[in-house]
Amino acid sequence: MKLNEPQQKLKQIEFYGGPWGALLPFLIFVAGVITIALSGAPDERGFWPVLVLALSLGLLLCKDRTAFSEAVISGMSQKIVMIMITAWILASIIGILMTLTGFVEALIWLSDQLHLNGTGFVIATFLICCVVSLSTGSSFATILICSPLLYPTGGILGAHLPALAGAIIGGATFGDFIAPISDTTIASALSQNAEIGPTIKSRLKYVLPAALLALFGYLIVSFTNDADASTNSTEILGSPKGLPMLLVPIFIIYLFLKGKHLIHGLLFGLLFGTILGLAFGLLPWSEIISLDLENFTAKSFVIDGINRAVGLSIFTILLMGMVATLKASGLMNKLVDFAVTRVHSEKQAEGWIASVMSMAVLLTTHSIVAILMVTDFTKKTGERFHISNIRRANLLSLIACVFPFILPYFIPVILMANMTKTGQDFNLASVSPLEVGLYNFMSWGLLLMALITLLFGWGRTKLNKNG
């Protein structure tokens, strides 16, 4: 599911202090977000002031403030930004719809029939999300679809909440790394002229050990913390009445498998779920729209869903605006040029490819943008030292599926933390972005595989003299 498109070329901008002037707003942003995350920020709204401060600092340090402003607007108005925000809004509405129609209670009833406890549900959640992400090819879609259904259910059954959130984003990471229709897979493979099929096959040696490590981690953490979280398990009784709503996520996944657009699938899923809820008497008409004339307000599950998505949407708009200023500064091009002069062996070449990709991801906060930024450097360096195109693609994807799913200022982690609010209707605590990243054992497993790959040459193949 490819959501990216070529962007217009931005006018290069210069900063007082050179590269450090371009970097300083990002360093302020990262330091502020980490501080707030460590302090237990209630939601991503707490990051707004830090982003505004970083943008203001960047404007002060930029020599051409008009060009800086244009870069910010260009970054904010990218097509991918609007697609993501619209998807989050629709998914939030769907999540509230599924709650109102008793789907969580139905999952509780089903789990009771299968004799799943909190630990068992965490393991099941990870496996389910692996299947969904493999089917849809989208980590965002997996988090958006699965979180409103699985997080409240697992919490009520007594699952350890950080491990449960980690299992959802961990399963999403699985598909992002290996799904044939994942934008990360497509971008990394095609940027290195590697065929998708053989590239996917070669990734089994990385993803399967990482998935086994993740399963073991979720089992240990859930088992040791299960008793502490089980106080919610008796608050809500399970009921099979909401089982027809299971057709909603199935229908959405079916549309994705048919190659439909992300917005297409979510909007049709919302319409289908609303009609289904009305047909089975699970959704009162008053929840669709009702007027409070005394207070001059309207009430609707649609309004509640949009309100839930506001915090993440504003965060994304501000962040993508700031990322565009870094790209316009040309700092990444200077980093690539510097790295070219430092590579003298195959092992060094692989290390520099991973390092430059890491820097690109950390500075742009966007895995696909980072892959496209380092494409030429990776290709030229890899060909010079006879590193196969598939291995180059795998190195890019390994890095792309680690930092964005662990660090608390990346959109997938923020999104997952935001989606844990779906448990508020059942008196379940939310999980902070920091905890989400710490308990994403899938990405930690991929990081371990990346280190083994770089240090010991795991999976290394060379180009022959014919390329």
Side-chain angles (χ1 to χ4, degrees):
M1 184 176 299
K2 197 170 183 179
L3 303 177
N4 300 279
E5 75 293 330
Q7 301 174 34
Q8 66 183 58
K9 187 174 179 60
L10 297 173
K11 178 182 177 181
Q12 184 161 338
I13 54 180
E14 297 181 356
F15 290 81
Y16 295 107
W20 286 109
L23 273 177
L24 186 57
F26 278 85
L27 297 176
I28 295 295
F29 163 63
V30 172
V33 167
I34 291 176
T35 300
I36 292 173
L38 288 172
S39 301
D43 59 25
E44 64 284 339
R45 294 170 191 258
F47 301 149
W48 292 356
V50 179
L51 272 167
V52 172
L53 174 64
L55 281 169
S56 301
L57 179 60
L59 182 64
L60 290 173
L61 292 173
C62 186
K63 295 181 179 180
D64 187 342
R65 289 165 185 167
T66 299
F68 180 91
S69 302
E70 290 296 332
V72 171
I73 296 300
S74 176
M76 289 178 173
S77 60
Q78 293 177 69
K79 181 180 178 182
I80 175 116
V81 176
M82 291 301 103
I83 290 176
M84 288 191 299
I85 289 175
T86 307
W88 295 334
I89 289 172
L90 292 175
S92 294
I93 298 171
I94 291 172
I96 291 179
L97 171 66
M98 301 299 279
T99 299
L100 290 173
T101 51
F103 184 72
V104 173
E105 288 89 336
L107 283 182
I108 295 170
W109 176 85
L110 189 60
S111 299
D112 185 59
Q113 302 302 305
L114 297 174
H115 304 291
L116 287 179
N117 58 7
T119 300
F121 197 87
V122 170
I123 299 300
T125 292
F126 176 69
L127 296 175
I128 290 170
C129 291
C130 284
V131 172
V132 172
S133 65
L134 194 60
S135 302
T136 63
S138 171
S139 57
F140 286 149
T142 303
I143 294 170
L144 292 169
I145 293 169
C146 295
S147 298
L149 311 179
L150 301 177
Y151 184 80
T153 307
I156 293 167
L157 289 173
H160 182 238
L161 295 179
L164 183 60
I168 295 172
I169 193 174
T173 308
F174 179 92
D176 200 63
F177 179 73
I178 199 170
I181 55 175
S182 161
D183 54 358
T184 302
T185 300
I186 293 170
S188 63
L190 297 187
S191 70
Q192 301 304 309
N193 298 326
E195 294 183 16
I196 298 292
T199 300
I200 295 300
K201 184 179 179 180
S202 73
R203 292 186 179 182
L204 292 173
K205 68 174 71 72
Y206 307 106
V207 76
L208 292 182
L212 288 175
L213 287 172
L215 274 172
F216 182 73
Y218 292 126
L219 179 64
I220 296 299
V221 170
S222 299
F223 182 77
T224 55
N225 291 276
D226 207 13
D228 296 332
S230 63
T231 55
N232 290 314
S233 61
T234 59
E235 290 184 4
I236 295 179
L237 297 176
S239 169
K241 286 196 305 182
L243 281 177
M245 299 303 291
L246 180 62
L247 295 173
V248 177
I250 291 175
F251 177 62
I252 294 173
I253 293 171
Y254 168 76
L255 291 176
F256 287 155
L257 291 176
K258 296 291 288 184
K260 304 302 181 184
H261 195 281
L262 182 61
I263 305 301
H264 179 163
L266 291 173
L267 189 56
F268 267 37
L270 174 59
L271 292 173
F272 176 64
T274 303
I275 294 171
L276 199 64
L278 291 170
F280 281 89
L282 301 172
L283 181 67
W285 278 101
S286 60
E287 293 289 353
I288 296 178
I289 185 70
S290 62
L291 302 178
D292 184 351
L293 298 179
E294 292 184 0
N295 297 307
F296 300 99
T297 59
K299 296 181 179 180
S300 168
F301 76 93
V302 175
I303 297 173
D304 293 339
I306 293 174
N307 286 335
R308 184 175 283 175
V310 166
L312 180 60
S313 299
I314 299 299
F315 173 85
T316 302
I317 291 172
L318 294 172
L319 178 60
M320 295 307 288
M322 196 168 73
V323 167
T325 66
L326 183 68
K327 293 169 61 181
S329 72
L331 183 61
M332 285 306 303
N333 294 331
K334 294 178 182 178
L335 176 64
V336 169
D337 293 340
F338 175 81
V340 168
T341 63
R342 297 297 190 274
V343 179
H344 302 292
S345 67
E346 179 183 5
K347 188 172 183 179
Q348 283 185 350
E350 292 182 353
W352 271 104
I353 288 172
S355 298
V356 172
M357 177 61 186
S358 298
M359 289 294 296
V361 170
L362 292 171
L363 291 176
T364 65
T365 70
H366 196 293
S367 56
I368 305 305
V369 171
I371 289 173
L372 297 178
M373 274 189 166
V374 304
T375 290
D376 291 339
F377 168 75
T378 302
K379 186 184 296 183
K380 292 176 182 178
T381 303
E383 289 176 350
R384 177 183 171 192
F385 290 95
H386 307 291
I387 302 171
S388 72
N389 49 6
I390 289 178
R391 183 167 176 81
R392 299 195 306 261
N394 289 341
L395 287 173
L396 295 180
S397 275
L398 279 169
I399 302 302
C401 290
V402 172
F403 297 117
F405 296 93
I406 290 178
L407 297 181
Y409 65 95
F410 279 82
I411 291 176
V413 178
I414 297 292
L415 174 61
M416 185 63 244
N418 179 272
M419 295 305 290
T420 62
K421 294 178 185 177
T422 56
Q424 290 178 350
D425 294 334
F426 306 97
N427 297 318
L428 298 173
S430 300
V431 178
S432 71
L434 183 64
E435 288 179 304
V436 168
L438 286 175
Y439 285 88
N440 181 2
F441 298 137
M442 183 69 212
S443 283
W444 288 112
L446 288 174
L447 176 60
L448 178 61
M449 295 308 300
L451 293 175
I452 293 173
T453 297
L454 292 170
L455 294 175
F456 303 105
W458 174 258
R460 180 178 293 157
T461 56
K462 289 187 177 182
L463 293 171
N464 58 32
K465 63 181 180 180
N466 297 320

